[in-house]
Amino acid sequence: MAAPSEAPVTRQVSGHAAPAPVPSGPASWQPLAAAVAELPVLDASGRPVLFGELFRERRAIVVFVRHFLCYICKEYVEDLAKIPKSFLQEANVTLIVIGQSSYHHIEPFCKLTGYSHEIYVDPEREIYKRLGMKRGEEIASSGQSPHVKSNILSGSIRSLWRAVTGPLFDFQGDPAQQGGTLILGPGNNIHFIHHDRNRLDHKPINSVLQLVGVQHVDFTSRPSVIHV
């Protein structure tokens, strides 16, 4: 499948205004991209990598998750893991997940979710802050997510169990932090920003793939909800 042109997708998507003073259009997003490009993230071995290096040469879908114990984030990343690498390669696009835990949690989270694309952490949440990612939950209807399999009871129980049985007992990030999705690159270009208003407000994956010309993925080959 041919990759689309590199023209920016000039839209800011969030049902409401951004929760922090982030520039409102593509012309003013470039200085923001340049600023966050110089900030470090850590890989699974704790090695620092400049954020901008992740999208310097090609476009990247960058998904910031709330924290690694969040069952909704876990199930969303489980679906990200189902995206074939060949689909991304055809469109010359990289898929990246950013968390905000210690780097020690990256490998266990990948084993848990089956995720094998790129993943890093921003433990001090500096990039989250610069990009205007929200803290706290905004009461807003986000609709039924196609990626959430558990109900709140079963999901919360599993998250608590992972917390108390893990090798490092912590929240694996600030539990009040919300995430978001961006399309960046090549270079210091931001084409698309979505700030999550609450834990259920992530962008449907296929709608993001469509923006960068990646083939749709069938995520329906499993039950939509698991009850206890």
Side-chain angles (χ1 to χ4, degrees):
M1 180 175 179
S5 68
E6 302 293 339
V9 182
T10 55
R11 62 176 81 178
Q12 157 89 23
V13 178
S14 173
H16 298 259
V22 172
S24 59
S28 51
W29 286 347
Q30 190 166 8
L32 175 63
V36 296
E38 298 304 314
L39 296 174
V41 291
L42 304 179
D43 67 13
S45 65
R47 182 178 65 93
V49 180
L50 290 181
F51 183 54
E53 290 298 322
L54 306 182
F55 49 88
R56 187 172 308 281
E57 301 297 330
R58 66 183 67 183
R59 289 174 302 163
I61 299 169
V62 184
V63 177
F64 289 79
V65 298
R66 293 179 64 240
H67 57 87
F68 288 161
L69 279 181
C70 169
Y71 75 90
I72 292 171
C73 299
K74 168 188 169 290
E75 294 176 1
Y76 189 80
V77 173
E78 284 175 340
D79 277 0
L80 289 175
K82 297 175 183 176
I83 301 172
K85 291 186 179 181
S86 60
F87 285 16
L88 297 168
Q89 290 166 354
E90 287 172 4
N92 197 28
V93 171
T94 303
L95 174 62
I96 301 165
V97 166
I98 305 288
Q100 39 127 355
S101 73
S102 162
Y103 71 88
H104 297 96
H105 293 296
I106 291 178
E107 187 175 346
F109 185 71
C110 289
K111 287 181 179 178
L112 181 70
T113 58
Y115 181 84
S116 62
H117 303 286
E118 292 188 45
I119 183 167
Y120 303 87
V121 291
D122 173 23
E124 303 301 321
R125 297 186 293 113
E126 288 300 326
I127 300 173
Y128 283 78
K129 295 171 188 174
R130 293 282 189 98
L131 292 174
M133 301 297 176
K134 181 180 175 61
R135 285 191 78 252
E137 299 258 0
E138 179 178 330
I139 299 175
S141 175
S142 301
Q144 178 64 42
S145 169
H147 307 293
V148 177
K149 302 176 277 293
S150 301
N151 60 38
I152 189 169
L153 176 60
S154 64
S156 298
I157 290 172
R158 290 190 184 98
S159 293
L160 179 61
W161 180 251
R162 286 197 288 127
V164 300
T165 59
L168 298 172
F169 180 56
D170 60 31
F171 285 107
Q172 301 188 24
D174 179 354
Q177 180 67 58
Q178 302 301 318
T181 301
L182 291 87
I183 297 172
L184 305 102
N188 294 330
N189 294 296
I190 300 178
H191 307 290
F192 170 91
I193 302 177
H194 170 81
H195 296 94
D196 296 349
R197 294 170 292 167
N198 55 56
R199 68 190 66 193
L200 288 169
D201 192 39
H202 48 246
K203 290 297 294 177
I205 294 170
N206 274 327
S207 70
V208 179
L209 297 181
Q210 183 176 11
L211 292 176
V212 290
V214 175
Q215 298 181 51
H216 280 207
V217 177
D218 181 9
F219 299 112
T220 61
S221 58
R222 41 83 175 147
S224 59
V225 177
I226 298 174
H227 295 284
V228 295

